[in-house]
Amino acid sequence: MTTSLRRSQWPIALLAFLAFAAPASAQVAPFDVFVDPFAQEVIAGQTAVYRVHISVAPSSDFDETVQLICNDLPHPSVTCEFTPPSVTPGVTPGDTSVLRVMTTQDTPPVTDAFTVIGASATRETFGAGILTVTPSFMVSAAPASQSVTKGGSAQYSVTVAPVNSPFDGPVQLSCLQPLPAGVSCEFEPNEVTPGSQGRASTLTISTTDPDTPDGSYDIVARGLFEAEQYSQDATVELAVGAGSDFTVSLDPSSNTVIGGQDAIYTVSVAATGGFSDPVDLSCGDLPTDVTCEFTPTSVTPGNTAELKVLTAQTTPVGTTTLAVTGTSGASTSTGTGSLTVTPSFSVSASPTSQSAEKGGSTQFSVAVNSIFGSFDEPVRLSCLQPLPAGVACSFQPNEVTPGAGGASSVLTITTTDPDTPDG
């Protein structure tokens, strides 16, 4: 993680900060403000807790109430509160207030100093502390609701996605206990590392018959980063009862493609009893610049359809949940899978046109640039065959890796005389 202030720089930076902040004409206050601990580190969304102590010199008779104020917090999304909001030396227990500095998931990664101003009726001074905010993650699940018969099971796709910056810690997945009677849950995999693009897991919720009562239940899927005891939840609904007459499932459960490629799934429809009517298939909400096609669009239980998910070079990078719903009359069922889109690349050449004499050659600059992220795989360059008679081409180099900043190669086109016709 990149921070704005390395820990080794804190004392020097704070001395400079304090020297700059205190005007030369300021009257020395008869009390000091101390922040303890001096530095705290939290994941975005957590709260850092400090103790603010008002220290009065033993020889001083200062007894005014000191109001406490936060200043220069690292980001607009960071707020603070004091309990109590003021300290009266000799009256407030321990001459201390508890300071809670609250971040949100929108707080970007940062390390920065903040100040605590202590202001009485006649004097003002301040202390300082350090807050480090590291990246966080969020948990989502799709579809939001599923129906099952007693003894059946339902699957949901649970995605753990980073917020603001890559989250490189392991996130353990589990269902919040206790579960309803006769209900169990399982994640595959049960631990993911979101990284920069997010990761998905399949949640299977199973029921037993006759233990599971009819009804609708909220099941909470929890992602836990154990090292910091930081967790995020997503809630899905499970309706147990008559259920649907069929189930829908996707194979494979996850696919990864480069932006602009297509992902292919097999959609299976299975009857839960003697159901045999046609089932119409449709996709749920899809990301920007993603479409889907079914072949065929309707199947009977026991048969399959091909699902083609089409992405574009402009499709945002990341992992998303695919929800495929089958509908037959009043009966519906939804199957889920995940789609991960990785960065793609573009190729351009400059200039777009050159002239050469027979037997001569000309050169073009060919640029290969990443789209939506960093494309870190080798790209091999060549001219599309067949070339015109008497024309040859070469690239130097003939393989590049665009990365985050792009890469270029020199294309040399050579003609031979008299084989190359005018044109």
Side-chain angles (χ1 to χ4, degrees):
M1 179 187 72
T2 301
T3 60
S4 61
L5 186 67
R6 296 196 305 272
R7 296 186 187 206
S8 61
Q9 296 174 306
W10 289 351
I12 296 173
L14 277 176
L15 286 174
F17 173 73
L18 294 175
F20 175 78
S25 60
Q27 196 170 14
V28 177
F31 63 92
D32 293 310
V33 177
F34 293 101
V35 179
D36 181 46
F38 172 66
Q40 292 263 48
E41 181 175 300
V42 296
I43 295 174
Q46 290 184 317
T47 297
V49 180
Y50 302 81
R51 295 175 66 82
V52 177
H53 180 67
I54 302 300
S55 176
V56 179
S59 59
S60 173
D61 60 356
F62 180 81
D63 60 358
E64 297 176 16
T65 296
V66 178
Q67 300 290 331
L68 298 172
I69 305 166
C70 285
N71 196 26
D72 300 321
L73 290 170
H75 189 263
S77 64
V78 179
T79 58
C80 76
E81 65 179 20
F82 293 93
T83 307
S86 62
V87 172
T88 303
V91 176
T92 304
D95 296 345
T96 298
S97 175
V98 175
L99 166 62
R100 291 178 174 82
V101 180
M102 296 159 286
T103 68
T104 71
Q105 278 205 320
D106 294 326
T107 304
V110 65
T111 295
D112 213 345
F114 64 91
T115 57
V116 175
I117 299 172
S120 71
T122 60
R123 296 289 191 272
E124 181 177 302
T125 190
F126 60 88
I130 293 285
L131 176 67
T132 295
V133 182
T134 61
S136 66
F137 62 87
M138 62 182 296
V139 178
S140 60
S145 179
Q146 293 263 50
S147 298
V148 297
T149 57
K150 290 184 179 182
S153 63
Q155 287 188 331
Y156 304 79
S157 182
V158 176
T159 300
V160 183
V163 178
N164 285 324
S165 294
F167 190 90
D168 296 321
V171 177
Q172 298 173 3
L173 296 169
S174 63
C175 289
L176 200 61
Q177 303 294 326
L179 292 170
V183 173
S184 63
C185 84
E186 181 180 4
F187 287 89
E188 180 56 43
N190 61 4
E191 184 177 285
V192 297
T193 300
S196 61
Q197 298 178 14
R199 294 293 183 270
S201 175
T202 299
L203 165 61
T204 301
I205 302 177
S206 303
T207 66
T208 58
D209 187 10
D211 297 333
T212 310
D214 290 347
S216 182
Y217 302 98
D218 286 337
I219 308 295
V220 178
R222 171 160 293 179
L224 171 67
F225 178 50
E226 192 170 26
E228 296 293 338
Q229 289 299 299
Y230 176 79
S231 63
Q232 289 291 306
D233 297 339
T235 301
V236 296
E237 183 184 50
L238 179 72
V240 180
S244 177
D245 296 312
F246 57 90
T247 61
V248 176
S249 61
L250 275 68
D251 183 42
S253 59
S254 63
N255 249 325
T256 299
V257 296
I258 296 171
Q261 291 184 320
D262 300 336
I264 306 297
Y265 300 81
T266 297
V267 179
S268 299
V269 177
T272 56
F275 183 80
S276 60
D277 291 343
V279 176
D280 297 327
L281 300 172
S282 62
C283 289
D285 291 338
L286 294 170
T288 303
D289 293 333
V290 176
T291 58
C292 76
E293 298 175 353
F294 293 94
T295 307
T297 58
S298 179
V299 296
T300 54
N303 294 298
T304 62
E306 179 185 90
L307 166 61
K308 181 185 291 186
V309 180
L310 300 87
T311 69
Q313 282 197 325
T314 52
T315 300
V317 170
T319 299
T320 189
T321 297
L322 294 176
V324 174
T325 299
T327 303
S328 183
S331 294
T332 62
S333 181
T334 301
T336 61
S338 68
L339 173 68
T340 299
V341 179
T342 60
S344 63
F345 63 88
S346 65
V347 178
S348 60
S350 177
T352 57
S353 177
Q354 292 267 51
S355 298
E357 296 180 356
K358 290 184 178 183
S361 65
T362 187
Q363 290 185 326
F364 299 80
S365 178
V366 176
V368 183
N369 292 302
S370 299
I371 297 177
F372 280 114
S374 178
F375 190 88
D376 298 322
E377 300 296 328
V379 177
R380 191 168 298 168
L381 298 168
S382 64
C383 291
L384 196 61
Q385 301 296 325
L387 293 171
V391 174
C393 82
S394 64
F395 288 88
Q396 182 57 42
N398 64 358
E399 186 175 281
V400 296
T401 300
S408 62
S409 174
V410 175
L411 165 62
T412 301
I413 300 179
T414 306
T415 67
T416 59
D417 185 14
D419 296 333
T420 310
D422 292 342

